Each structure stands twice: as C-alpha cells, then as structure tokens.
Amino acid sequence: QRGYAVLEAPNGAAGLGTVAECRRPIDLLLTDVMMPAMDGRELARRFQRQCAGAKVLFMSGYNRLELPYGSAFLPKPFTAQALLRKVGQALAGEQTRGGAAA
C-alpha cells in the first residue's frame, strides 16, 4: 500500500533462501534481533554478504541489546506509522541509533 515490495520469510534460514532466489535488488532487511536458530545479527551479516550495500533495520522488544554500531533500530511495540518512518530513515541511510539499545 505504501509502494514497497515486501518479501516474507518465517525464519532466518528461509529468509536467506528467499534472498538467494530473488531476481531483483533487495534494499532493506527488517529483522527481529531475538529469533530461534539464527538471531537477527547473524541473519544481517549473511544478508549483507549476499546484498552488498543493502540496509538493515533491527526490531526488538528487549531494552538492552548489542548491535553493530550505527544500526537502525525500532523498539517494540510500534505503530504502522513508526514502522514506515523507520523504514524510510533506514533506506535513506540515516543512523537512527548507536551500538546498544537504550
């Protein structure tokens, strides 16, 4: 509805498979930080190897997290409006937070 093409995956491994099969450039990964089997940080590392230059937006309901410096972060819970704002900021390359969530 907002002009974004969205690819969904139920977990990190499936997400990487979706990325590998995608025929168009992927500009942004939106991932939860805490996930079973492969956490969001590992997913982001692997994703950025496949999609050099793509942005990552992490989300989490946890207050204290160690994330790569300059990572875009969206705290849960959030509204659709907050999600759209953070996606736009992340795509524009705006650093929306530092290394650890406050």
Coordinates of all heavy atoms in Angstrom, one line a residue:
Q1 N 0.8 -1.2 0.0 CA 0.0 0.0 0.0 C 0.8 1.3 0.0 O 0.4 2.3 -0.4 CB -0.9 0.0 1.2 CG -2.0 -1.1 1.2 CD -2.8 -1.1 2.5 OE1 -2.4 -0.5 3.5 NE2 -3.9 -1.8 2.4
R2 N 2.1 1.2 0.5 CA 2.9 2.4 0.6 C 4.0 2.4 -0.5 O 5.0 3.1 -0.4 CB 3.6 2.4 2.0 CG 2.6 2.5 3.1 CD 1.8 3.8 3.1 NE 0.8 3.8 4.2 CZ 0.1 4.8 4.5 NH1 0.2 5.9 3.8 NH2 -0.7 4.7 5.5
G3 N 4.0 1.5 -1.4 CA 4.9 1.5 -2.5 C 6.1 0.6 -2.3 O 7.0 0.5 -3.2
Y4 N 6.1 -0.2 -1.3 CA 7.2 -1.1 -1.0 C 6.8 -2.5 -1.5 O 5.7 -3.0 -1.2 CB 7.6 -1.2 0.5 CG 8.1 0.1 1.0 CD1 7.4 0.8 2.0 CD2 9.3 0.6 0.7 CE1 7.8 2.0 2.5 CE2 9.8 1.8 1.2 CZ 9.1 2.5 2.1 OH 9.5 3.7 2.6
A5 N 7.7 -3.2 -2.1 CA 7.5 -4.6 -2.4 C 8.1 -5.4 -1.2 O 9.3 -5.2 -0.9 CB 8.2 -5.0 -3.7
V6 N 7.4 -6.3 -0.6 CA 7.8 -7.0 0.6 C 7.9 -8.5 0.3 O 7.0 -9.1 -0.3 CB 6.7 -6.7 1.7 CG1 7.1 -7.5 3.0 CG2 6.6 -5.3 2.0
L7 N 9.0 -9.0 0.8 CA 9.2 -10.5 0.7 C 9.2 -11.0 2.2 O 9.8 -10.4 3.0 CB 10.6 -10.8 0.1 CG 10.8 -10.3 -1.3 CD1 12.3 -10.5 -1.7 CD2 9.9 -11.0 -2.3
E8 N 8.5 -12.0 2.5 CA 8.3 -12.5 3.8 C 9.0 -13.9 4.0 O 9.1 -14.6 3.0 CB 6.9 -12.7 4.2 CG 6.1 -11.4 4.3 CD 4.7 -11.6 4.7 OE1 4.4 -12.2 5.7 OE2 3.8 -11.2 3.9
A9 N 9.5 -14.1 5.2 CA 10.1 -15.4 5.5 C 9.8 -15.7 7.0 O 9.9 -14.8 7.8 CB 11.6 -15.5 5.2
P10 N 9.6 -17.0 7.3 CA 9.2 -17.4 8.7 C 10.4 -17.4 9.6 O 10.3 -17.4 10.8 CB 8.6 -18.7 8.6 CG 9.2 -19.3 7.3 CD 9.4 -18.1 6.4
N11 N 11.7 -17.5 9.1 CA 12.9 -17.6 9.9 C 14.1 -17.1 9.1 O 14.0 -16.9 7.9 CB 13.1 -19.0 10.5 CG 13.1 -20.0 9.4 OD1 13.9 -19.9 8.5 ND2 12.3 -21.1 9.5
G12 N 15.2 -17.0 9.8 CA 16.4 -16.6 9.1 C 16.9 -17.4 7.9 O 17.2 -16.9 6.9
A13 N 16.9 -18.7 8.1 CA 17.4 -19.6 7.0 C 16.5 -19.4 5.8 O 16.9 -19.3 4.7 CB 17.4 -21.0 7.5
A14 N 15.2 -19.4 6.0 CA 14.2 -19.2 4.9 C 14.4 -17.9 4.3 O 14.3 -17.7 3.0 CB 12.8 -19.4 5.4
G15 N 14.7 -16.9 5.1 CA 14.9 -15.5 4.5 C 16.1 -15.5 3.6 O 16.1 -14.9 2.6
L16 N 17.2 -16.1 4.0 CA 18.4 -16.2 3.1 C 18.1 -16.9 1.8 O 18.6 -16.5 0.8 CB 19.5 -16.8 3.9 CG 20.1 -16.0 5.0 CD1 21.2 -16.8 5.8 CD2 20.7 -14.7 4.5
G17 N 17.2 -18.0 1.9 CA 16.8 -18.7 0.7 C 16.0 -17.8 -0.2 O 16.2 -17.8 -1.4
T18 N 15.1 -17.0 0.4 CA 14.3 -16.0 -0.4 C 15.2 -15.0 -1.1 O 15.0 -14.7 -2.2 CB 13.3 -15.3 0.5 OG1 12.4 -16.3 1.1 CG2 12.5 -14.3 -0.2
V19 N 16.2 -14.5 -0.3 CA 17.1 -13.5 -0.9 C 17.9 -14.1 -2.1 O 18.0 -13.5 -3.1 CB 18.1 -13.0 0.2 CG1 19.3 -12.3 -0.4 CG2 17.4 -12.2 1.2
A20 N 18.3 -15.4 -1.9 CA 19.1 -16.0 -3.0 C 18.3 -16.2 -4.3 O 18.8 -16.2 -5.4 CB 19.6 -17.4 -2.5
E21 N 17.0 -16.5 -4.1 CA 16.1 -16.7 -5.2 C 15.5 -15.4 -5.9 O 15.0 -15.5 -7.0 CB 14.9 -17.6 -4.8 CG 15.3 -19.0 -4.4 CD 14.2 -19.8 -3.8 OE1 13.1 -19.3 -3.7 OE2 14.5 -20.9 -3.3
C22 N 15.6 -14.3 -5.2 CA 15.0 -13.1 -5.6 C 15.8 -12.6 -6.9 O 17.0 -12.6 -6.9 CB 15.1 -12.0 -4.5 SG 14.2 -10.5 -5.0
R23 N 15.1 -12.1 -7.9 CA 15.7 -11.7 -9.1 C 15.9 -10.2 -9.2 O 16.4 -9.7 -10.1 CB 14.8 -12.1 -10.3 CG 14.6 -13.6 -10.4 CD 15.9 -14.2 -10.9 NE 15.7 -15.7 -11.0 CZ 16.5 -16.6 -10.5 NH1 17.5 -16.2 -9.8 NH2 16.3 -17.8 -10.7
R24 N 15.4 -9.5 -8.2 CA 15.6 -8.0 -8.1 C 16.4 -7.6 -6.9 O 16.5 -8.4 -6.0 CB 14.3 -7.2 -8.1 CG 13.0 -8.0 -8.2 CD 11.8 -7.2 -8.2 NE 11.2 -7.2 -6.9 CZ 9.9 -7.1 -6.7 NH1 9.1 -6.9 -7.7 NH2 9.4 -7.2 -5.5
P25 N 16.9 -6.4 -6.9 CA 17.7 -6.0 -5.8 C 16.8 -5.8 -4.5 O 15.6 -5.5 -4.6 CB 18.2 -4.6 -6.2 CG 18.0 -4.5 -7.7 CD 16.9 -5.4 -8.0
I26 N 17.4 -6.2 -3.4 CA 16.7 -6.0 -2.1 C 17.4 -4.9 -1.4 O 18.7 -4.9 -1.2 CB 16.8 -7.3 -1.3 CG1 16.0 -8.4 -2.1 CG2 16.2 -7.1 0.1 CD1 16.1 -9.8 -1.4
D27 N 16.7 -3.9 -1.0 CA 17.3 -2.7 -0.4 C 17.3 -2.7 1.1 O 18.1 -2.0 1.7 CB 16.4 -1.4 -0.8 CG 16.4 -1.3 -2.4 OD1 17.5 -1.3 -3.0 OD2 15.3 -1.1 -2.9
L28 N 16.4 -3.5 1.8 CA 16.4 -3.4 3.2 C 15.9 -4.7 3.8 O 15.0 -5.4 3.3 CB 15.3 -2.3 3.6 CG 15.0 -2.2 5.1 CD1 16.2 -1.5 5.8 CD2 13.7 -1.5 5.4
L29 N 16.6 -5.1 4.9 CA 16.2 -6.3 5.7 C 15.6 -5.7 7.0 O 16.2 -5.0 7.7 CB 17.4 -7.2 6.0 CG 17.2 -8.3 7.0 CD1 16.2 -9.3 6.5 CD2 18.5 -8.9 7.5
L30 N 14.4 -6.1 7.3 CA 13.8 -5.9 8.6 C 13.7 -7.2 9.3 O 13.1 -8.1 8.9 CB 12.3 -5.3 8.4 CG 11.5 -5.2 9.6 CD1 12.1 -4.1 10.6 CD2 10.1 -4.8 9.3
T31 N 14.4 -7.2 10.5 CA 14.5 -8.4 11.2 C 14.4 -8.2 12.7 O 14.9 -7.2 13.2 CB 15.8 -9.2 10.9 OG1 15.8 -10.4 11.6 CG2 17.1 -8.4 11.3
D32 N 13.8 -9.2 13.4 CA 13.8 -9.1 14.9 C 15.2 -9.5 15.3 O 15.9 -10.2 14.6 CB 12.8 -10.2 15.4 CG 12.4 -9.8 16.8 OD1 13.2 -9.4 17.6 OD2 11.2 -10.0 17.1
V33 N 15.7 -9.0 16.4 CA 17.0 -9.4 16.9 C 17.0 -10.8 17.5 O 17.9 -11.6 17.2 CB 17.5 -8.3 18.0 CG1 18.9 -8.7 18.5 CG2 17.5 -7.0 17.4
M34 N 16.0 -11.1 18.3 CA 16.0 -12.4 19.0 C 15.1 -13.3 18.2 O 13.9 -13.1 18.2 CB 15.4 -12.2 20.4 CG 16.2 -11.1 21.2 SD 17.9 -11.5 21.5 CE 17.8 -12.8 22.8
M35 N 15.7 -14.4 17.7 CA 15.0 -15.4 17.0 C 15.6 -16.7 17.2 O 16.8 -16.8 17.5 CB 15.0 -15.1 15.4 CG 14.4 -13.8 15.0 SD 14.3 -13.7 13.2 CE 16.1 -13.7 12.7
P36 N 14.9 -17.8 17.2 CA 15.5 -19.2 17.4 C 16.4 -19.5 16.2 O 16.2 -19.0 15.1 CB 14.3 -20.1 17.5 CG 13.1 -19.4 16.9 CD 13.4 -17.9 17.0
A37 N 17.3 -20.4 16.5 CA 18.2 -21.0 15.5 C 19.2 -19.9 14.9 O 20.4 -20.1 15.0 CB 17.5 -21.6 14.3
M38 N 18.8 -18.9 14.3 CA 19.7 -17.8 13.8 C 19.2 -16.5 14.3 O 18.1 -16.1 13.9 CB 19.7 -17.9 12.3 CG 20.6 -16.8 11.7 SD 20.5 -16.7 9.9 CE 20.7 -18.4 9.3
D39 N 19.9 -15.8 15.1 CA 19.4 -14.5 15.6 C 19.6 -13.4 14.4 O 20.2 -13.6 13.4 CB 20.1 -14.0 16.9 CG 21.6 -13.6 16.7 OD1 22.0 -13.3 15.6 OD2 22.2 -13.5 17.7
G40 N 19.0 -12.3 14.7 CA 18.9 -11.2 13.7 C 20.3 -10.7 13.3 O 20.5 -10.3 12.2
R41 N 21.2 -10.7 14.2 CA 22.6 -10.1 13.9 C 23.2 -11.1 12.9 O 23.9 -10.6 12.0 CB 23.4 -10.0 15.2 CG 22.9 -8.9 16.1 CD 23.6 -9.0 17.5 NE 23.1 -10.2 18.2 CZ 22.4 -10.1 19.3 NH1 22.2 -9.0 19.9 NH2 22.0 -11.2 19.9
E42 N 23.1 -12.4 13.1 CA 23.7 -13.3 12.2 C 23.0 -13.3 10.8 O 23.7 -13.3 9.8 CB 23.7 -14.8 12.7 CG 24.3 -15.8 11.8 CD 25.8 -15.6 11.5 OE1 26.5 -14.9 12.3 OE2 26.3 -16.1 10.5
L43 N 21.7 -13.2 10.9 CA 21.0 -13.0 9.6 C 21.4 -11.8 8.9 O 21.7 -11.8 7.6 CB 19.5 -13.0 9.9 CG 18.6 -12.6 8.7 CD1 18.7 -13.7 7.6 CD2 17.1 -12.5 9.1
A44 N 21.6 -10.7 9.6 CA 22.0 -9.4 8.9 C 23.4 -9.6 8.3 O 23.7 -9.1 7.2 CB 22.0 -8.3 9.9
R45 N 24.3 -10.2 9.0 CA 25.7 -10.4 8.5 C 25.6 -11.2 7.2 O 26.3 -10.9 6.2 CB 26.6 -11.2 9.5 CG 27.2 -10.3 10.6 CD 28.2 -11.0 11.4 NE 27.6 -12.0 12.2 CZ 27.2 -11.8 13.5 NH1 27.2 -10.6 14.0 NH2 26.7 -12.8 14.2
R46 N 24.9 -12.3 7.2 CA 24.8 -13.2 6.0 C 24.1 -12.5 4.9 O 24.5 -12.6 3.7 CB 24.1 -14.5 6.3 CG 24.9 -15.4 7.3 CD 24.2 -16.6 7.5 NE 24.9 -17.5 8.5 CZ 24.6 -18.7 8.7 NH1 23.6 -19.3 8.1 NH2 25.3 -19.4 9.7
F47 N 23.0 -11.8 5.2 CA 22.2 -11.0 4.2 C 23.1 -10.0 3.5 O 23.1 -9.8 2.3 CB 21.1 -10.3 4.9 CG 20.4 -9.3 4.1 CD1 19.5 -9.6 3.1 CD2 20.6 -7.9 4.3 CE1 18.9 -8.7 2.3 CE2 19.9 -7.0 3.6 CZ 19.1 -7.3 2.5
Q48 N 23.9 -9.2 4.3 CA 24.7 -8.2 3.7 C 25.9 -8.8 2.8 O 26.3 -8.1 1.9 CB 25.2 -7.2 4.8 CG 24.1 -6.4 5.3 CD 24.5 -5.3 6.3 OE1 25.3 -5.7 7.2 NE2 24.0 -4.1 6.2
R49 N 26.2 -10.0 3.1 CA 27.2 -10.6 2.1 C 26.5 -10.9 0.8 O 27.2 -10.8 -0.2 CB 27.7 -12.0 2.7 CG 28.8 -11.8 3.7 CD 29.5 -13.1 4.1 NE 29.5 -13.1 5.5 CZ 29.1 -14.1 6.3 NH1 28.7 -15.3 5.8 NH2 29.2 -14.1 7.6
Q50 N 25.2 -11.3 0.8 CA 24.5 -11.5 -0.4 C 24.0 -10.3 -1.1 O 23.9 -10.2 -2.3 CB 23.3 -12.4 -0.1 CG 23.6 -13.8 0.2 CD 22.3 -14.6 0.5 OE1 21.6 -14.4 1.4 NE2 22.1 -15.6 -0.3
C51 N 23.8 -9.2 -0.3 CA 23.2 -8.0 -0.9 C 24.1 -6.8 -0.4 O 23.6 -6.0 0.5 CB 21.8 -7.8 -0.4 SG 20.7 -9.1 -0.9
A52 N 25.2 -6.7 -0.9 CA 26.2 -5.7 -0.5 C 25.5 -4.3 -0.7 O 24.9 -4.0 -1.7 CB 27.5 -5.7 -1.4
G53 N 25.6 -3.5 0.3 CA 25.1 -2.1 0.3 C 23.7 -2.0 0.7 O 23.1 -0.9 0.9
A54 N 23.0 -3.2 1.0 CA 21.6 -3.1 1.5 C 21.6 -2.7 2.9 O 22.6 -2.9 3.7 CB 21.0 -4.5 1.3
K55 N 20.5 -2.1 3.3 CA 20.4 -1.6 4.7 C 19.7 -2.7 5.6 O 19.0 -3.6 5.1 CB 19.5 -0.3 4.7 CG 19.9 0.7 3.7 CD 21.2 1.4 4.1 CE 21.4 2.6 3.3 NZ 22.6 2.7 2.6
V56 N 19.9 -2.5 6.9 CA 19.3 -3.4 7.9 C 18.6 -2.6 8.9 O 19.1 -1.6 9.4 CB 20.3 -4.3 8.5 CG1 19.6 -5.2 9.6 CG2 21.0 -5.2 7.5
L57 N 17.3 -3.0 9.2 CA 16.6 -2.4 10.3 C 16.2 -3.5 11.3 O 15.5 -4.4 11.0 CB 15.3 -1.7 9.8 CG 14.3 -1.2 10.8 CD1 14.9 -0.2 11.7 CD2 13.1 -0.6 10.1
F58 N 16.8 -3.3 12.5 CA 16.5 -4.3 13.6 C 15.3 -3.9 14.4 O 15.1 -2.7 14.6 CB 17.7 -4.4 14.5 CG 18.9 -5.0 13.9 CD1 20.0 -4.2 13.5 CD2 19.1 -6.4 13.8 CE1 21.1 -4.8 12.9 CE2 20.2 -7.0 13.3 CZ 21.2 -6.2 12.9
M59 N 14.5 -4.8 14.9 CA 13.5 -4.5 15.8 C 13.5 -5.5 17.0 O 14.1 -6.6 16.9 CB 12.1 -4.6 15.1 CG 11.8 -6.0 14.6 SD 10.2 -5.9 13.8 CE 10.2 -7.5 13.0
S60 N 13.1 -5.0 18.2 CA 13.1 -5.9 19.3 C 12.2 -5.3 20.4 O 12.1 -4.1 20.5 CB 14.5 -6.1 19.8 OG 14.5 -7.0 21.0
G61 N 11.7 -6.2 21.3 CA 11.0 -5.7 22.5 C 12.0 -5.6 23.7 O 11.6 -5.2 24.8
Y62 N 13.2 -6.1 23.5 CA 14.2 -6.0 24.6 C 14.9 -4.7 24.6 O 15.1 -4.0 23.6 CB 15.3 -7.1 24.4 CG 14.7 -8.5 24.6 CD1 14.3 -9.2 23.5 CD2 14.6 -9.1 25.8 CE1 13.8 -10.5 23.6 CE2 14.1 -10.3 26.0 CZ 13.7 -11.0 24.9 OH 13.2 -12.3 25.1
N63 N 15.2 -4.2 25.8 CA 15.8 -2.9 26.0 C 17.3 -2.8 25.8 O 17.7 -1.9 25.2 CB 15.5 -2.4 27.5 CG 14.6 -1.3 27.5 OD1 14.2 -0.7 26.5 ND2 14.3 -0.8 28.7
R64 N 18.0 -3.8 26.3 CA 19.5 -3.8 26.2 C 19.9 -4.8 25.2 O 19.8 -6.0 25.4 CB 20.1 -4.1 27.5 CG 19.9 -3.0 28.5 CD 20.8 -1.9 28.3 NE 20.7 -0.8 29.2 CZ 21.1 0.4 29.0 NH1 21.7 0.6 27.9 NH2 21.0 1.3 29.9
L65 N 20.5 -4.3 24.1 CA 21.0 -5.2 23.0 C 22.3 -4.7 22.5 O 22.5 -3.5 22.4 CB 20.0 -5.3 21.8 CG 18.6 -5.8 22.2 CD1 17.7 -5.5 21.0 CD2 18.7 -7.3 22.4
E66 N 23.1 -5.6 22.1 CA 24.4 -5.2 21.4 C 24.1 -5.4 19.9 O 23.9 -6.5 19.4 CB 25.6 -6.1 21.9 CG 26.0 -5.8 23.3 CD 26.5 -4.4 23.5 OE1 27.2 -3.8 22.6 OE2 26.2 -3.8 24.6
L67 N 24.2 -4.3 19.2 CA 24.0 -4.3 17.7 C 25.2 -3.6 17.1 O 25.9 -2.8 17.7 CB 22.7 -3.6 17.4 CG 21.4 -4.2 17.9 CD1 20.2 -3.3 17.5 CD2 21.2 -5.6 17.3
P68 N 25.4 -3.9 15.8 CA 26.5 -3.2 15.1 C 26.3 -1.7 15.2 O 25.2 -1.2 15.2 CB 26.3 -3.7 13.7 CG 25.6 -4.9 13.8 CD 24.7 -4.8 15.0
Y69 N 27.4 -1.0 15.4 CA 27.4 0.5 15.5 C 26.7 1.1 14.4 O 26.9 0.7 13.2 CB 28.8 1.0 15.6 CG 28.8 2.5 15.8 CD1 28.5 3.1 17.0 CD2 29.0 3.4 14.7 CE1 28.5 4.5 17.2 CE2 29.0 4.7 14.8 CZ 28.7 5.3 16.1 OH 28.6 6.7 16.2
G70 N 25.8 2.1 14.7 CA 25.1 2.8 13.7 C 23.9 2.1 13.1 O 23.2 2.5 12.2
S71 N 23.5 0.9 13.7 CA 22.4 0.2 13.2 C 21.1 0.9 13.4 O 20.9 1.6 14.4 CB 22.3 -1.2 14.0 OG 23.4 -2.0 13.7
A72 N 20.2 0.8 12.5 CA 18.8 1.3 12.6 C 18.1 0.4 13.5 O 18.2 -0.8 13.4 CB 18.2 1.4 11.3
F73 N 17.3 0.9 14.5 CA 16.6 0.1 15.5 C 15.2 0.7 15.7 O 15.0 1.9 15.8 CB 17.4 0.1 16.8 CG 16.7 -0.7 17.9 CD1 16.8 -2.0 17.9 CD2 16.0 0.0 18.9 CE1 16.2 -2.8 18.8 CE2 15.4 -0.8 19.9 CZ 15.5 -2.1 19.9
L74 N 14.2 -0.3 15.8 CA 12.8 0.1 16.0 C 12.4 -0.7 17.2 O 12.3 -2.0 17.2 CB 12.0 -0.3 14.8 CG 10.5 0.0 14.9 CD1 10.2 1.4 15.1 CD2 9.8 -0.5 13.6
P75 N 12.1 0.0 18.4 CA 11.6 -0.8 19.6 C 10.2 -1.2 19.4 O 9.4 -0.5 18.8 CB 11.8 0.3 20.7 CG 11.7 1.6 20.0 CD 12.3 1.4 18.6
K76 N 9.9 -2.4 20.0 CA 8.6 -2.9 20.0 C 7.9 -2.5 21.3 O 8.6 -2.4 22.3 CB 8.6 -4.5 19.9 CG 9.0 -5.1 18.6 CD 8.9 -6.6 18.8 CE 9.3 -7.3 17.6 NZ 9.3 -8.8 17.9
P77 N 6.6 -2.4 21.4 CA 5.7 -2.4 20.2 C 5.8 -1.1 19.4 O 6.3 -0.1 20.0 CB 4.3 -2.5 20.9 CG 4.5 -1.8 22.3 CD 6.0 -2.1 22.6
F78 N 5.4 -1.1 18.2 CA 5.4 0.1 17.4 C 4.1 0.2 16.5 O 3.4 -0.8 16.3 CB 6.6 0.1 16.5 CG 6.8 -1.2 15.7 CD1 6.2 -1.4 14.5 CD2 7.7 -2.1 16.1 CE1 6.4 -2.5 13.7 CE2 7.9 -3.3 15.4 CZ 7.3 -3.5 14.2
T79 N 3.9 1.3 16.0 CA 2.7 1.6 15.2 C 3.1 1.4 13.7 O 4.3 1.4 13.4 CB 2.1 3.0 15.4 OG1 3.1 3.9 15.0 CG2 1.7 3.2 16.8
A80 N 2.1 1.3 12.9 CA 2.4 1.2 11.4 C 3.1 2.5 11.0 O 4.1 2.5 10.2 CB 1.2 1.0 10.6
Q81 N 2.7 3.6 11.5 CA 3.4 4.9 11.2 C 4.8 5.0 11.6 O 5.7 5.4 10.9 CB 2.6 6.1 11.8 CG 3.1 7.4 11.4 CD 2.3 8.5 12.1 OE1 1.6 8.4 13.1 NE2 2.4 9.7 11.5
A82 N 5.1 4.5 12.8 CA 6.5 4.4 13.3 C 7.3 3.5 12.4 O 8.5 3.8 12.1 CB 6.6 4.0 14.7
L83 N 6.8 2.4 12.0 CA 7.5 1.4 11.1 C 7.8 2.1 9.8 O 8.9 2.0 9.3 CB 6.7 0.2 10.9 CG 7.2 -0.8 9.8 CD1 8.6 -1.3 10.2 CD2 6.2 -2.0 9.6
L84 N 6.8 2.7 9.2 CA 7.1 3.4 7.9 C 8.1 4.5 8.0 O 9.0 4.7 7.1 CB 5.8 4.0 7.4 CG 4.8 3.0 6.8 CD1 3.4 3.7 6.6 CD2 5.3 2.4 5.6
R85 N 8.1 5.3 9.1 CA 9.1 6.3 9.3 C 10.5 5.7 9.4 O 11.4 6.2 8.8 CB 8.8 7.1 10.6 CG 9.7 8.3 10.8 CD 9.3 9.2 12.0 NE 9.0 8.4 13.2 CZ 7.7 8.3 13.7 NH1 6.7 8.8 13.1 NH2 7.5 7.6 14.8
K86 N 10.6 4.6 10.2 CA 12.0 4.0 10.4 C 12.5 3.3 9.1 O 13.6 3.4 8.8 CB 11.9 3.0 11.5 CG 11.9 3.6 12.9 CD 13.2 4.2 13.2 CE 13.1 4.7 14.7 NZ 14.4 5.2 15.1
V87 N 11.6 2.7 8.4 CA 11.9 2.1 7.1 C 12.5 3.2 6.1 O 13.5 3.1 5.5 CB 10.8 1.4 6.4 CG1 11.0 1.1 4.9 CG2 10.5 0.1 7.2
G88 N 11.8 4.4 6.1 CA 12.2 5.5 5.2 C 13.6 6.0 5.7 O 14.4 6.3 4.9
Q89 N 13.8 6.1 7.0 CA 15.1 6.6 7.5 C 16.2 5.6 7.2 O 17.3 6.0 6.8 CB 15.0 6.8 9.0 CG 14.1 8.0 9.5 CD 13.9 8.0 11.0 OE1 14.1 7.1 11.7 NE2 13.5 9.2 11.4
A90 N 15.9 4.3 7.4 CA 16.9 3.3 7.1 C 17.3 3.3 5.6 O 18.5 3.2 5.3 CB 16.4 1.9 7.6
L91 N 16.3 3.4 4.8 CA 16.6 3.4 3.3 C 17.4 4.6 2.9 O 18.2 4.6 2.0 CB 15.3 3.3 2.5 CG 14.6 1.9 2.5 CD1 13.2 2.0 1.9 CD2 15.5 0.9 1.8
A92 N 17.1 5.7 3.6 CA 17.9 7.0 3.3 C 19.3 7.0 3.9 O 20.1 7.9 3.7 CB 17.1 8.2 3.9
G93 N 19.6 5.9 4.7 CA 20.9 5.8 5.3 C 21.1 6.6 6.6 O 22.2 6.8 7.0
E94 N 20.0 7.0 7.2 CA 20.1 7.8 8.4 C 20.4 6.8 9.5 O 19.7 5.8 9.7 CB 18.8 8.5 8.7 CG 18.4 9.6 7.7 CD 17.1 10.2 8.0 OE1 16.6 10.2 9.1 OE2 16.5 10.8 7.0
Q95 N 21.4 7.1 10.3 CA 21.7 6.3 11.5 C 20.7 6.7 12.6 O 20.7 7.8 13.0 CB 23.1 6.5 12.0 CG 24.1 6.0 11.0 CD 25.5 6.1 11.6 OE1 25.8 6.7 12.6 NE2 26.5 5.5 10.9
T96 N 19.9 5.8 13.0 CA 18.8 6.1 13.9 C 19.2 5.7 15.3 O 18.4 5.9 16.2 CB 17.5 5.4 13.5 OG1 17.7 4.0 13.4 CG2 17.0 6.0 12.2
R97 N 20.3 5.2 15.6 CA 20.8 4.8 16.9 C 22.2 4.4 16.9 O 22.8 4.2 15.8 CB 19.9 3.7 17.5 CG 20.0 2.4 16.7 CD 19.3 1.3 17.4 NE 19.8 1.1 18.7 CZ 20.8 0.3 19.0 NH1 21.3 -0.5 18.0 NH2 21.2 0.1 20.2
G98 N 22.8 4.2 18.0 CA 24.2 3.8 18.2 C 24.3 2.3 18.3 O 23.5 1.6 17.7
G99 N 25.3 1.8 19.0 CA 25.5 0.4 19.1 C 24.6 -0.4 20.0 O 24.3 -1.5 19.7
A100 N 24.2 0.1 21.1 CA 23.4 -0.7 22.0 C 22.1 0.0 22.3 O 22.0 1.2 22.4 CB 24.1 -0.9 23.4
A101 N 21.0 -0.7 22.3 CA 19.7 -0.1 22.5 C 19.6 0.5 23.9 O 20.1 -0.1 24.9 CB 18.6 -1.1 22.3
A102 N 19.1 1.6 24.0 CA 19.0 2.3 25.4 C 17.6 2.0 26.0 O 16.7 1.7 25.4 CB 19.2 3.8 25.2

